[in-house]
C-alpha cells in the first residue's frame, strides 16, 4: 500500500499578487516565505513518522506548462490553486492513498491519518451556505464581494451550474486539506471538468438568463469547480472539520491554536510565529 503526502510552494512576485487587499497579500506571501523551511520540514517529519512518501512540488517549469491552457489574463495564484487538483488527479495513478496539505497547514500531532480515517471516503472541509447564498442573490446582489470570499466562490459555482445545466451545490469547500484513496480521487474526473470549463467559461458572462450584476461576478476558482464536480458526480464527501482541519482566522485563532486540540492547523492568517513562540514546539 503506497501512501503519499504532498504539498506545494511557489513564491509570487509583487506584480503576481492579487491587487485586492494587496498589503495583506504581501504579508501572507512574506510570512510563508520566511517560515517555508519550517513548514515543509514539519510535513516531512510527519511523513517519516508514519512511513509514507512526501513530495513538495515547487517546479515552476511544470507549473508553467500546466498554466498554458489558461488565458493569459488569469492570475498566477489562480492557476496554482488549480494545479494542486491537477497534481492530485495525476498522483492517483501512482499512489493508493493521498493526503494533500496546503503549504500553510501545520501538523500538530503524530496521529496517523492513514490509519485513523477511512480512505474509501473523500475527506474535505465544507459547510452548507445555502441560506447565505439565497440571501445574497435576492437581497444583497448589488454589493461588491471580496473575490476570495466563500460567497464569491459559491456564486461562481452556482453560475457555472446554472449556465451548463449542472447540479447545484450550496456548500463552501476549503481544499487546504484533502484526504482519500486513488479510486475516490479518480471519480472527480478533474481533467475532464477543467478542460470543459476553460473552453466554455466565457459563456457565463454572456448568459442573458442571469442578471448582469450577478454574471459579471463569475471568477475561475478551484474550490468553485470542486463544488461543481462534487454535485454533478454525486460524490459522497466526508466533512473534514474538527481536529483534522482547524482553520485559523478571526479573533479567537490564537486561543484555538494554544489549546492544541487539533491535528492539522490551517494558518489562513499566516501567524506562523505562534508555532515557534509556543512552549510545546520549543
Amino acid at each position: 500500500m503506497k501512501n503519499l503526502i504532498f504539498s506545494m510552494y511557489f513564491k509570487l512576485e509583487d506584480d503576481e499578487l492579487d491587487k485586492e487587499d494587496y498589503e495583506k497579500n504581501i504579508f501572507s506571501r512574506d510570512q510563508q516565505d520566511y517560515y517555508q523551511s519550517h513548514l515543509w520540514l514539519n510535513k516531512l517529519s510527519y511523513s517519516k513518522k508514519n512511513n509514507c512518501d512526501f513530495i513538495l512540488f515547487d517546479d515552476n517549469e511544470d507549473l508553467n506548462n500546466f498554466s498554458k491552457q489558461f488565458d493569459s489574463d488569469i492570475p498566477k495564484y489562480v492557476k496554482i490553486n488549480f494545479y494542486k487538483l491537477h497534481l492530485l488527479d495525476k498522483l492517483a495513478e501512482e499512489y493508493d492513498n493521498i493526503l494533500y496539505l496546503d503549504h500553510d497547514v501545520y501538523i500538530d500531532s503524530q496521529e496517523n491519518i492513514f490509519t485513523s480515517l477511512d480512505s474509501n471516503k473523500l475527506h474535505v472541509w465544507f459547510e452548507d451556505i445555502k441560506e447565505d447564498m439565497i440571501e445574497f442573490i435576492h437581497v444583497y446582489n448589488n454589493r461588491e464581494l471580496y473575490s476570495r470570499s466563500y460567497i464569491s466562490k459559491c456564486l461562481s459555482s452556482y453560475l457555472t451550474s446554472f449556465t451548463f445545466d449542472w447540479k447545484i451545490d450550496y456548500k463552501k469547500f476549503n481544499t487546504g486539506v484533502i484526504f482519500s484513496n486513488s479510486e475516490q480521487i479518480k471519480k472527480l474526473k478533474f481533467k475532464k471538468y477543467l478542460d470543459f470549463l476553460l473552453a466554455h467559461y466565457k459563456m457565463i458572462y454572456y448568459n442573458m438568463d442571469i442578471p448582469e450584476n450577478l454574471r459579471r461576478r463569475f471568477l475561475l476558482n478551484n474550490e468553485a469547480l470542486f463544488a461543481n464536480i462534487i454535485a454533478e458526480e454525486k460524490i459522497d464527501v466526508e466533512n473534514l472539520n474538527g481536529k483534522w482541519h482547524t482553520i485559523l482566522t478571526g479573533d479567537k485563532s490564537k486561543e484555538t491554536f494554544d489549546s492544541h486540540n487539533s491535528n492539522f492547523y490551517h494558518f489562513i492568517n499566516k501567524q506562523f510565529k505562534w508555532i515557534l513562540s509556543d512552549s510545546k514546539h520549543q
Side-chain angles (χ1 to χ4, degrees), residues 10-26:
F10 297 98
K11 183 180 179 181
L12 297 176
E13 300 299 329
D14 288 355
D15 61 354
E16 295 173 330
L17 293 169
D18 188 359
K19 298 304 182 286
E20 189 178 16
D21 212 353
Y22 185 63
E23 293 302 319
K24 177 182 175 182
N25 293 328
I26 288 178

Side-chain angles (χ1 to χ4, degrees), residues 8 10 12 16 59-87 90 190 194-195 198 201 220:
M8 307 183 304
F10 297 98
L12 297 176
E16 295 173 330
D59 185 348
N60 273 291
E61 183 177 354
D62 190 58
L63 172 63
N64 290 337
N65 287 334
F66 168 78
S67 300
K68 289 176 182 177
Q69 61 191 307
F70 291 81
D71 290 335
S72 59
D73 62 338
I74 302 301
K76 185 175 181 178
Y77 63 85
V78 172
K79 299 169 187 174
I80 290 172
N81 282 321
F82 278 105
Y83 182 61
K84 72 180 178 185
L85 296 182
H86 160 74
L87 290 174
K90 183 178 177 181
F190 175 70
L194 180 62
D195 287 350
L198 293 182
Y201 76 91
L220 283 173

Side-chain angles (χ1 to χ4, degrees), residues 3-5 50 52 97-99 112-117 179:
N3 296 336
L4 171 72
I5 299 171
N50 292 298
C52 63
N97 303 301
I98 299 175
L99 169 65
N112 190 344
I113 193 171
F114 293 97
T115 56
S116 296
L117 297 183
F179 175 69

Side-chain angles (χ1 to χ4, degrees), residues 167-184:
K167 293 179 178 62
I168 295 174
D169 193 293
Y170 290 99
K171 295 186 183 68
K172 62 178 183 179
F173 288 91
N174 186 302
T175 57
V177 181
I178 304 172
F179 175 69
S180 195
N181 64 20
S182 58
E183 181 182 353
Q184 296 301 314

Side-chain angles (χ1 to χ4, degrees), residues 192-205:
K192 166 192 166 183
Y193 280 96
L194 180 62
D195 287 350
F196 178 88
L197 187 62
L198 293 182
H200 299 96
Y201 76 91
K202 291 182 180 178
M203 293 173 59
I204 297 171
Y205 296 119

Side-chain angles (χ1 to χ4, degrees), residues 200-225:
H200 299 96
Y201 76 91
K202 291 182 180 178
M203 293 173 59
I204 297 171
Y205 296 119
Y206 300 102
N207 187 344
M208 302 306 291
D209 292 329
I210 302 173
E212 191 276 337
N213 67 326
L214 290 178
R215 66 177 186 264
R216 68 177 174 82
R217 299 170 188 265
F218 171 82
L219 294 170
L220 283 173
N221 180 274
N222 71 301
E223 289 172 344
L225 179 59

